Amino acid sequence: VKPMTPRCSVPKAVPVGKSASLHCHENEGFPKSTYSWYRNSEPLSPDAKSSTKPHNSSYTLNPTTGTLVFHAVHKGDTGRYSCIATNDAGFAKCEEQEMEV
């Protein structure tokens, strides 16, 4: 079963240096969906350390739960975030939401 549009929650504004949690979830898809996050339409690597982009952000992305946690945000994390739920039957994307740091 193709995933339905996931529910995404993105904080509107986060003070520099604070942590931020972004959530993405849908429960119609079968098999269970995996989740990927995008900032300004650029995919965020599931592992911040292995990212090829020079980006000094520390975050944890859990593809199984759809949770993206920034441990300490900085100005560079400001942007439009969206999430895609994917399974064998297809994918669905939530609306982009702005997060300001």
Side-chain angles (χ1 to χ4, degrees), residues 51-101:
S51 179
T52 50
K53 296 257 185 305
H55 195 251
N56 59 355
S57 201
S58 64
Y59 64 82
T60 309
L61 200 171
N62 187 325
T64 316
T65 62
T67 307
L68 171 61
V69 178
F70 289 94
H71 307 293
V73 295
H74 60 82
K75 281 289 185 197
D77 295 321
T78 296
R80 296 184 318 281
Y81 287 82
S82 61
C83 162
I84 296 182
T86 309
N87 71 8
D88 296 341
F91 65 92
K93 180 176 189 252
C94 71
E95 286 290 312
E96 282 189 331
Q97 294 179 45
E98 189 77 39
M99 180 173 84
E100 199 170 315
V101 178

Side-chain angles (χ1 to χ4, degrees), residues 9-76:
S9 62
V10 175
K12 297 267 176 280
V14 185
V16 169
K18 294 288 185 200
S19 66
S21 295
L22 288 66
H23 300 280
C24 178
H25 187 72
E26 69 82 42
N27 48 20
E28 298 292 306
F30 186 85
K32 282 217 171 302
S33 295
T34 55
Y35 302 95
S36 46
W37 279 94
Y38 292 78
R39 185 181 69 240
N40 303 331
S41 304
E42 290 276 321
L44 289 175
S45 164
D47 178 8
K49 305 281 178 292
S50 71
S51 179
T52 50
K53 296 257 185 305
H55 195 251
N56 59 355
S57 201
S58 64
Y59 64 82
T60 309
L61 200 171
N62 187 325
T64 316
T65 62
T67 307
L68 171 61
V69 178
F70 289 94
H71 307 293
V73 295
H74 60 82
K75 281 289 185 197

